[in-house]
Amino acid sequence: MGVCENLIGGAWVGGNEAAPNVNPSNTDDVIGEYTRGDASAVDAAVEAAQAAQPGWALASPQVRHDVLEKVGADLMARREELGQLLSREEGKTLAEGIGEATRAAQIFKFFAGETLRLGGEAIASVRPGIEVMIEREPVGIVGLITPWNFPIAIPAWKITPALAYGNAVILKPADLTPGCAWELARSLKAAGCPDGVFNLVMGRGSTVGARMVEHPGIDAISFTGSVPVGRGIVVGCATHGKKVQTEMGGKNPMVVLDDADLDTAVSVSANGAFFSTGQRCTASSRLIVTEGIHDAFVEKLTAEAAALKVGDALDPATQIGPVVDQSQLDQNLSYVALAKAEGCEVSGGGRANGPGFFQHPAVFTGATNQMRSSREEIFGPCASVIKAADYDEALAMANDTEFGLSSGICTSSLKYASHFRRHAEAGMVMVNLPTAGVDYHVPFGGCKGSSYGAREQGAYAREFYTTVKTSYIAPWNPIPASGLSPPQRSTKTAHLT
Ligand code: UN1
């Protein structure tokens, strides 16, 4: 198999460099070689996008609908094959990989429909005789920078609203997982997406990403990834006058109250903390448990975590796939050591045998909310268990974090569930459900240090991918020299009132 190249202006274009895409379950397995573009590839993609975008924006919404619908159908038909590729390049279990590929297909289909639903508003002017219309227009050329942990769903949920609303796209997928993004590019091209409307530029953030942020031809950047990179992108976009949206980290709390159903609380916590190897910004990394249920919860959770089968992502028996690469594994192991040094009792967390980057899930008990291991995002299969005296203390601790993405509670009490829903400082609240794992058709995003800018996904995505135009239309001269007289009621309707 040759090198998988960038897609620029409808042509497959190589670069000076290519990088191997390595399977984290088995580092001897190389999925393929992928071009690593540079700043000049971004420049070429911007030129192609600028040439193509006006025609795309003016095309009938039916044209945009049909392209998105076709890609959705293609992804749906190929979800097993794509799920396998995803699991092989990223390390999610096969079930999770196929689930994510399916989600990407559903997102394409959802935004195919949204293409036809974009409407405006007509509002009465305060000045007589004038019509006011509020319409949405594309932002223009959008740069999308996506992370490795959802290598098909996150590109899908940024590409689809961008294209549905008439923008041209330059996608830079994570350097670690270019395979799924390359398949998306292939599917878009095969579905008849016009040349230059969708461009793929693979490569490193420090070259490709940095050029996207500074390039004057890119009007907006949507980013999902780490906190330091995201913050830098916000500053860079402000400097260059670009619209920007960033989804960054989380240290998501799962509050477990005494009145919770123990089995539900444990399975929700284990799912939120360990599934997808904990590599989700929505992962439940702080389990805040009230005193009455604490010991039973810890006993059951540690047993369940220890029983989870860690192994090759493609083995159907595997429940926890590998960590994505060596440096992420090193980071996770250093947090396990830190939690011990901070005084936690650690169960699991060690390296697991095998030809990949395997790690057993870790439970840090006896944690406090002030420990570094409870405050910094680890992005691995590690969860701190923090004991709280009661609901009030648990809520205060849940909110005592720089992040605010997803916040969960396990309780059988409507009173506490409702109070928590109102007072959790987070963009998303989950009751008796894991903090991770969201629907594809409703807004996604956080508050505080987790997110910046407009929400993603669902119809709310239009806030970012469109700009508003307000038009004032006077069908005749509205300011007659002699003043205005109110219109006369017709005699036909007058008697009705
Ligand atoms: C989910 O929990 O279903 O990077 C999605 C992430 C998030 C996506 C989470 N942006 O983990």
Side-chain angles (χ1 to χ4, degrees):
M1 185 178 160
V3 173
C4 296
E5 296 175 319
N6 286 330
L7 181 65
I8 298 175
W12 296 108
V13 181
N16 295 331
E17 211 192 318
N21 185 358
V22 175
N23 179 350
S25 295
N26 177 359
T27 52
D28 290 335
D29 177 30
V30 175
I31 294 145
E33 296 280 327
Y34 290 78
T35 292
R36 259 193 189 141
D38 55 15
S40 70
V42 175
D43 296 354
V46 172
E47 209 174 295
Q50 283 173 331
Q53 192 269 332
W56 180 246
L58 287 174
S60 155
Q62 188 70 47
V63 171
R64 298 196 293 274
H65 167 279
D66 291 351
V67 168
L68 296 177
E69 177 62 35
K70 254 189 206 165
V71 177
D74 176 48
L75 302 182
M76 193 60 91
R78 295 168 57 210
R79 62 188 184 277
E80 304 230 342
E81 167 208 335
L82 292 169
Q84 198 159 45
L85 169 66
L86 198 166
S87 297
R88 204 170 147 213
E89 74 170 342
E90 194 269 347
K92 250 170 226 196
T93 64
L94 192 52
E96 290 170 333
I98 294 170
E100 192 186 325
T102 307
R103 180 167 163 179
Q106 288 163 333
I107 292 168
F108 269 88
K109 284 169 171 281
F110 176 84
F111 275 103
E114 283 301 282
T115 305
L116 304 175
R117 277 190 283 270
L118 185 65
E121 283 177 85
I123 287 197
S125 170
V126 292
R127 291 173 282 167
I130 295 177
E131 291 166 13
V132 180
M133 279 163 61
I134 302 165
E135 291 157 296
R136 290 185 178 268
E137 295 190 337
V139 175
I141 314 298
V142 298
L144 311 178
I145 302 176
T146 57
W148 51 260
N149 66 330
F150 282 84
I152 197 161
I154 294 182
W157 82 51
K158 293 183 194 291
I159 293 167
T160 46
L163 294 184
Y165 302 135
N167 301 282
V169 166
I170 297 159
L171 169 69
K172 189 208 94 63
D175 195 35
L176 265 178
T177 55
C180 288
W182 190 83
E183 287 294 342
L184 281 179
R186 203 156 72 132
S187 184
L188 278 155
K189 188 169 162 58
C193 185
D195 294 351
V197 167
F198 174 82
N199 303 277
L200 174 74
V201 181
M202 298 174 287
R204 293 185 194 279
S206 53
T207 50
V208 173
R211 179 65 183 148
M212 284 167 73
V213 170
E214 68 177 30
H215 197 301
I218 295 184
D219 302 290
I221 297 274
S222 178
F223 166 87
T224 301
S226 74
V227 174
V229 175
R231 287 192 181 147
I233 285 177
V234 168
V235 172
C237 286
T239 307
H240 296 283
K242 288 187 199 339
K243 195 169 181 179
V244 64
Q245 165 187 71
T246 60
E247 288 298 341
M248 302 171 285
K251 193 75 185 176
N252 307 290
M254 172 54 69
V255 169
V256 176
L257 297 186
D258 287 355
D259 67 13
D261 175 72
L262 182 63
D263 291 346
T264 304
V266 169
S267 79
V268 154
S269 301
N271 175 313
F274 306 130
F275 285 18
S276 298
T277 324
Q279 298 178 143
R280 299 188 278 195
C281 57
T282 45
S284 316
S285 41
R286 291 183 297 140
L287 309 175
I288 301 169
V289 186
T290 48
E291 272 169 7
I293 198 171
H294 177 272
D295 293 355
F297 175 85
V298 167
E299 191 181 328
K300 203 166 166 57
L301 179 73
T302 46
E304 220 160 273
L308 288 170
K309 193 176 171 327
V310 178
D312 192 309
L314 296 176
D315 178 345
T318 294
Q319 292 169 292
I320 306 290
V323 172
V324 76
D325 70 357
Q326 185 66 53
S327 76
Q328 183 66 50
L329 179 59
D330 291 344
Q331 175 170 314
N332 297 352
L333 296 174
S334 77
Y335 273 106
V336 171
L338 175 68
K340 274 186 196 149
E342 287 181 312
C344 295
E345 190 182 315
V346 175
S347 121
R351 205 185 189 303
N353 289 333
F357 309 112
F358 299 113
Q359 182 186 11
H360 292 290
V363 181
F364 307 156
T365 35
T368 71
N369 202 45
Q370 299 313 315
M371 292 175 176
R372 264 185 61 209
S373 52
S374 301
R375 301 198 79 80
E376 297 172 11
E377 186 177 44
I378 301 173
F379 221 64
C382 307
S384 305
V385 181
I386 302 163
K387 196 191 277 189
D390 53 19
Y391 168 73
D392 290 331
E393 194 190 18
L395 173 65
M397 289 198 287
N399 287 338
D400 177 15
T401 166
E402 64 173 290
F403 297 110
L405 188 55
S406 183
S407 209
I409 187 166
C410 286
T411 178
S412 55
S413 152
L414 179 61
K415 179 178 88 171
Y416 289 127
S418 304
H419 189 275
F420 188 78
R421 189 167 61 77
R422 290 193 190 171
H423 296 279
E425 295 170 4
M428 295 173 292
V429 175
M430 309 289 181
V431 177
N432 296 318
L433 286 166
T435 52
V438 298
D439 285 5
Y440 64 85
H441 66 307
V442 289
F444 177 93
C447 56
K448 296 173 27 184
S450 289
S451 308
Y452 184 91
R455 286 282 181 268
E456 299 198 83
Q457 301 205 66
Y460 282 69
R462 72 174 59 150
E463 291 306 325
F464 183 73
Y465 292 99
T466 63
T467 181
V468 169
K469 179 177 277 176
T470 311
S471 309
Y472 296 81
I473 303 148
W476 66 90
N477 179 2
I479 315 171
S482 58
L484 290 166
S485 49
Q488 296 300 304
R489 278 190 171 171
S490 82
T491 47
K492 200 169 169 212
T493 55
H495 74 279
L496 294 174
T497 51

